Short mmCIF file of all heavy atoms in Angstrom, two decimals:
data_model
loop_
_atom_site.label_atom_id
_atom_site.label_comp_id
_atom_site.label_asym_id
_atom_site.label_seq_id
_atom_site.Cartn_x
_atom_site.Cartn_y
_atom_site.Cartn_z
N ASP I 540 27.13 69.75 6.55
CA ASP I 540 28.33 69.97 5.75
C ASP I 540 29.21 71.06 6.36
O ASP I 540 30.44 70.96 6.38
CB ASP I 540 27.96 70.34 4.31
CG ASP I 540 27.41 69.16 3.54
OD1 ASP I 540 27.67 68.01 3.94
OD2 ASP I 540 26.71 69.38 2.52
N ARG I 541 28.56 72.10 6.87
CA ARG I 541 29.30 73.24 7.41
C ARG I 541 30.04 72.88 8.70
O ARG I 541 31.17 73.34 8.94
CB ARG I 541 28.34 74.40 7.66
CG ARG I 541 29.03 75.67 8.16
CD ARG I 541 28.03 76.80 8.29
NE ARG I 541 28.68 78.02 8.76
CZ ARG I 541 28.03 79.16 8.99
NH1 ARG I 541 26.71 79.23 8.79
NH2 ARG I 541 28.69 80.23 9.42
N TYR I 542 29.40 72.04 9.53
CA TYR I 542 29.97 71.73 10.84
C TYR I 542 30.42 70.27 10.96
O TYR I 542 30.55 69.75 12.08
CB TYR I 542 28.94 72.04 11.93
CG TYR I 542 28.58 73.50 12.02
CD1 TYR I 542 27.38 73.97 11.49
CD2 TYR I 542 29.45 74.41 12.62
CE1 TYR I 542 27.06 75.31 11.56
CE2 TYR I 542 29.13 75.76 12.69
CZ TYR I 542 27.93 76.21 12.15
OH TYR I 542 27.61 77.54 12.21
N GLN I 543 30.70 69.63 9.84
CA GLN I 543 31.01 68.20 9.88
C GLN I 543 32.26 67.91 10.70
O GLN I 543 32.32 66.90 11.40
CB GLN I 543 31.19 67.65 8.46
CG GLN I 543 31.51 66.15 8.44
CD GLN I 543 31.32 65.54 7.08
OE1 GLN I 543 30.48 65.95 6.31
NE2 GLN I 543 32.14 64.55 6.77
N THR I 544 33.26 68.77 10.64
CA THR I 544 34.48 68.54 11.42
C THR I 544 34.17 68.47 12.91
O THR I 544 34.65 67.58 13.62
CB THR I 544 35.50 69.66 11.17
OG1 THR I 544 35.85 69.67 9.77
CG2 THR I 544 36.77 69.42 11.98
N TYR I 545 33.34 69.39 13.38
CA TYR I 545 32.99 69.40 14.80
C TYR I 545 32.12 68.19 15.17
O TYR I 545 32.26 67.62 16.25
CB TYR I 545 32.26 70.69 15.15
CG TYR I 545 33.08 71.93 14.88
CD1 TYR I 545 32.84 72.71 13.75
CD2 TYR I 545 34.11 72.31 15.75
CE1 TYR I 545 33.60 73.85 13.49
CE2 TYR I 545 34.87 73.44 15.50
CZ TYR I 545 34.61 74.20 14.37
OH TYR I 545 35.37 75.31 14.12
N ILE I 546 31.23 67.82 14.25
CA ILE I 546 30.37 66.66 14.49
C ILE I 546 31.21 65.40 14.57
O ILE I 546 31.00 64.53 15.42
CB ILE I 546 29.30 66.55 13.40
CG1 ILE I 546 28.36 67.76 13.44
CG2 ILE I 546 28.49 65.27 13.57
CD1 ILE I 546 27.37 67.82 12.30
N THR I 547 32.20 65.30 13.67
CA THR I 547 33.09 64.14 13.68
C THR I 547 33.87 64.05 14.99
O THR I 547 34.00 62.97 15.59
CB THR I 547 34.09 64.21 12.50
OG1 THR I 547 33.35 64.25 11.27
CG2 THR I 547 35.01 63.00 12.51
N LEU I 548 34.36 65.19 15.47
CA LEU I 548 35.07 65.21 16.75
C LEU I 548 34.14 64.79 17.89
O LEU I 548 34.57 64.10 18.83
CB LEU I 548 35.64 66.60 17.01
CG LEU I 548 36.80 67.03 16.10
CD1 LEU I 548 37.17 68.49 16.37
CD2 LEU I 548 38.01 66.13 16.32
N PHE I 549 32.89 65.21 17.81
CA PHE I 549 31.92 64.83 18.84
C PHE I 549 31.68 63.33 18.83
O PHE I 549 31.59 62.69 19.90
CB PHE I 549 30.60 65.58 18.61
CG PHE I 549 29.51 65.22 19.57
CD1 PHE I 549 29.59 65.59 20.90
CD2 PHE I 549 28.41 64.50 19.15
CE1 PHE I 549 28.59 65.25 21.80
CE2 PHE I 549 27.40 64.15 20.03
CZ PHE I 549 27.50 64.53 21.36
N VAL I 550 31.58 62.74 17.64
CA VAL I 550 31.39 61.29 17.53
C VAL I 550 32.59 60.55 18.15
O VAL I 550 32.42 59.58 18.90
CB VAL I 550 31.21 60.87 16.06
CG1 VAL I 550 31.20 59.35 15.93
CG2 VAL I 550 29.92 61.44 15.49
N MET I 551 33.79 61.02 17.85
CA MET I 551 34.98 60.39 18.41
C MET I 551 34.99 60.52 19.93
O MET I 551 35.41 59.60 20.64
CB MET I 551 36.23 61.01 17.79
CG MET I 551 36.37 60.73 16.30
SD MET I 551 37.81 61.50 15.54
CE MET I 551 39.13 60.58 16.35
N LEU I 552 34.53 61.66 20.45
CA LEU I 552 34.44 61.85 21.89
C LEU I 552 33.48 60.83 22.51
O LEU I 552 33.74 60.28 23.59
CB LEU I 552 33.98 63.27 22.21
CG LEU I 552 33.81 63.62 23.70
CD1 LEU I 552 35.14 63.48 24.43
CD2 LEU I 552 33.26 65.03 23.86
N LEU I 553 32.36 60.58 21.82
CA LEU I 553 31.40 59.58 22.31
C LEU I 553 32.05 58.20 22.37
O LEU I 553 31.80 57.43 23.31
CB LEU I 553 30.17 59.54 21.39
CG LEU I 553 29.24 60.75 21.41
CD1 LEU I 553 28.10 60.55 20.42
CD2 LEU I 553 28.68 60.98 22.82
N VAL I 554 32.87 57.89 21.37
CA VAL I 554 33.56 56.60 21.35
C VAL I 554 34.57 56.53 22.49
O VAL I 554 34.62 55.57 23.27
CB VAL I 554 34.26 56.37 20.00
CG1 VAL I 554 35.11 55.10 20.05
CG2 VAL I 554 33.23 56.26 18.88
N PHE I 555 35.39 57.58 22.63
CA PHE I 555 36.44 57.59 23.65
C PHE I 555 35.85 57.53 25.06
O PHE I 555 36.43 56.94 25.96
CB PHE I 555 37.31 58.84 23.52
CG PHE I 555 38.13 58.89 22.27
CD1 PHE I 555 38.54 60.11 21.74
CD2 PHE I 555 38.47 57.73 21.59
CE1 PHE I 555 39.30 60.16 20.59
CE2 PHE I 555 39.22 57.77 20.43
CZ PHE I 555 39.64 58.98 19.93
N SER I 556 34.69 58.16 25.26
CA SER I 556 34.09 58.21 26.59
C SER I 556 33.36 56.91 26.94
O SER I 556 32.99 56.71 28.10
CB SER I 556 33.11 59.38 26.67
OG SER I 556 32.00 59.17 25.80
N GLY I 557 33.12 56.07 25.95
CA GLY I 557 32.43 54.82 26.20
C GLY I 557 30.92 54.92 26.15
O GLY I 557 30.21 53.94 26.40
N VAL I 558 30.39 56.09 25.79
CA VAL I 558 28.94 56.29 25.75
C VAL I 558 28.28 55.34 24.75
O VAL I 558 27.18 54.82 24.98
CB VAL I 558 28.60 57.75 25.39
CG1 VAL I 558 27.11 57.92 25.13
CG2 VAL I 558 29.05 58.68 26.51
N LEU I 559 28.96 55.09 23.63
CA LEU I 559 28.40 54.22 22.59
C LEU I 559 28.64 52.74 22.85
O LEU I 559 28.07 51.89 22.15
CB LEU I 559 28.99 54.59 21.22
CG LEU I 559 28.62 55.97 20.67
CD1 LEU I 559 29.35 56.22 19.36
CD2 LEU I 559 27.12 56.09 20.46
N SER I 560 29.47 52.42 23.82
CA SER I 560 29.86 51.02 24.03
C SER I 560 28.67 50.13 24.37
O SER I 560 28.52 49.04 23.81
CB SER I 560 30.91 50.93 25.14
OG SER I 560 32.08 51.61 24.78
N TRP I 561 27.84 50.59 25.31
CA TRP I 561 26.73 49.74 25.76
C TRP I 561 25.73 49.46 24.65
O TRP I 561 25.41 48.28 24.40
CB TRP I 561 26.03 50.36 26.97
CG TRP I 561 24.98 49.46 27.54
CD1 TRP I 561 25.15 48.44 28.42
CD2 TRP I 561 23.57 49.51 27.24
NE1 TRP I 561 23.94 47.83 28.71
CE2 TRP I 561 22.96 48.46 27.99
CE3 TRP I 561 22.78 50.30 26.41
CZ2 TRP I 561 21.59 48.21 27.93
CZ3 TRP I 561 21.41 50.05 26.36
CH2 TRP I 561 20.83 49.02 27.11
N PRO I 562 25.18 50.46 23.95
CA PRO I 562 24.20 50.14 22.91
C PRO I 562 24.80 49.33 21.76
O PRO I 562 24.13 48.43 21.22
CB PRO I 562 23.73 51.52 22.41
CG PRO I 562 24.76 52.49 22.87
CD PRO I 562 25.32 51.93 24.12
N ILE I 563 26.04 49.62 21.37
CA ILE I 563 26.66 48.84 20.29
C ILE I 563 26.89 47.40 20.74
O ILE I 563 26.66 46.45 19.98
CB ILE I 563 27.99 49.49 19.85
CG1 ILE I 563 27.72 50.81 19.13
CG2 ILE I 563 28.78 48.56 18.93
CD1 ILE I 563 28.96 51.57 18.71
N SER I 564 27.32 47.23 21.99
CA SER I 564 27.55 45.88 22.52
C SER I 564 26.26 45.08 22.58
O SER I 564 26.23 43.89 22.21
CB SER I 564 28.18 45.97 23.92
OG SER I 564 28.35 44.70 24.48
N ARG I 565 25.19 45.72 23.01
CA ARG I 565 23.90 45.02 23.10
C ARG I 565 23.41 44.61 21.72
O ARG I 565 22.95 43.47 21.52
CB ARG I 565 22.86 45.94 23.76
CG ARG I 565 23.12 46.22 25.22
CD ARG I 565 22.62 45.10 26.11
NE ARG I 565 21.17 45.00 26.07
CZ ARG I 565 20.45 44.12 26.77
NH1 ARG I 565 21.10 43.27 27.55
NH2 ARG I 565 19.15 44.08 26.69
N ALA I 566 23.49 45.52 20.77
CA ALA I 566 23.05 45.21 19.42
C ALA I 566 23.93 44.14 18.78
O ALA I 566 23.43 43.23 18.10
CB ALA I 566 23.05 46.47 18.56
N SER I 567 25.24 44.22 19.02
CA SER I 567 26.17 43.22 18.47
C SER I 567 25.87 41.84 19.02
O SER I 567 25.87 40.85 18.27
CB SER I 567 27.61 43.60 18.80
OG SER I 567 27.96 44.84 18.22
N THR I 568 25.61 41.77 20.31
CA THR I 568 25.29 40.48 20.93
C THR I 568 24.02 39.89 20.35
O THR I 568 23.92 38.68 20.10
CB THR I 568 25.15 40.63 22.46
OG1 THR I 568 26.37 41.14 23.00
CG2 THR I 568 24.83 39.30 23.11
N GLY I 569 23.02 40.74 20.09
CA GLY I 569 21.76 40.27 19.50
C GLY I 569 21.97 39.68 18.11
O GLY I 569 21.44 38.60 17.80
N ILE I 570 22.73 40.36 17.28
CA ILE I 570 22.99 39.86 15.93
C ILE I 570 23.85 38.60 15.99
O ILE I 570 23.62 37.63 15.26
CB ILE I 570 23.68 40.94 15.08
CG1 ILE I 570 22.72 42.11 14.86
CG2 ILE I 570 24.13 40.37 13.73
CD1 ILE I 570 23.35 43.28 14.14
N TYR I 571 24.85 38.60 16.88
CA TYR I 571 25.70 37.42 17.04
C TYR I 571 24.86 36.21 17.45
O TYR I 571 25.01 35.11 16.87
CB TYR I 571 26.76 37.71 18.10
CG TYR I 571 27.66 36.53 18.40
CD1 TYR I 571 28.80 36.31 17.64
CD2 TYR I 571 27.38 35.67 19.45
CE1 TYR I 571 29.64 35.23 17.91
CE2 TYR I 571 28.20 34.59 19.73
CZ TYR I 571 29.33 34.38 18.96
OH TYR I 571 30.15 33.31 19.23
N ASN I 572 23.96 36.38 18.39
CA ASN I 572 23.10 35.28 18.83
C ASN I 572 22.18 34.82 17.70
O ASN I 572 21.84 33.63 17.60
CB ASN I 572 22.29 35.68 20.05
CG ASN I 572 23.14 35.82 21.30
OD1 ASN I 572 24.22 35.23 21.39
ND2 ASN I 572 22.68 36.61 22.25
N PHE I 573 21.75 35.75 16.86
CA PHE I 573 20.92 35.39 15.70
C PHE I 573 21.71 34.49 14.75
O PHE I 573 21.19 33.48 14.26
CB PHE I 573 20.46 36.66 14.99
CG PHE I 573 19.70 36.41 13.72
CD1 PHE I 573 18.44 35.81 13.75
CD2 PHE I 573 20.23 36.78 12.49
CE1 PHE I 573 17.73 35.58 12.57
CE2 PHE I 573 19.53 36.55 11.32
CZ PHE I 573 18.28 35.95 11.36
N PHE I 574 22.97 34.84 14.49
CA PHE I 574 23.82 34.00 13.64
C PHE I 574 24.03 32.62 14.27
O PHE I 574 24.03 31.61 13.57
CB PHE I 574 25.18 34.67 13.41
CG PHE I 574 25.14 35.85 12.49
CD1 PHE I 574 26.21 36.73 12.42
CD2 PHE I 574 24.04 36.10 11.69
CE1 PHE I 574 26.19 37.83 11.55
CE2 PHE I 574 23.99 37.19 10.83
CZ PHE I 574 25.07 38.05 10.76
N VAL I 575 24.23 32.60 15.58
CA VAL I 575 24.39 31.32 16.29
C VAL I 575 23.16 30.44 16.11
O VAL I 575 23.27 29.24 15.87
CB VAL I 575 24.67 31.57 17.78
CG1 VAL I 575 24.56 30.27 18.59
CG2 VAL I 575 26.07 32.16 17.97
N THR I 576 21.99 31.05 16.20
CA THR I 576 20.74 30.31 16.04
C THR I 576 20.61 29.75 14.62
O THR I 576 20.24 28.58 14.42
CB THR I 576 19.53 31.22 16.34
OG1 THR I 576 19.64 31.71 17.68
CG2 THR I 576 18.23 30.45 16.19
#
């Protein structure tokens, strides 16, 4: 609660840098393929 603003900025930095892209993409593809099945 005390440092939420800084944590939020850090999360946005992870998004902007693309660090989260690979794991989210992999997980999304897995769920998408499950729906296809």
Side-chain angles (χ1 to χ4, degrees):
D540 288 339
R541 183 176 180 181
Y542 296 103
Q543 181 165 328
T544 299
Y545 300 102
I546 296 173
T547 301
L548 291 174
F549 177 69
V550 172
M551 295 178 67
L552 179 62
L553 291 178
V554 173
F555 293 154
S556 66
V558 171
L559 293 177
S560 297
W561 185 84
I563 290 177
S564 177
R565 292 278 294 181
S567 298
T568 301
I570 294 175
Y571 178 87
N572 289 337
F573 175 67
F574 287 165
V575 168
T576 301

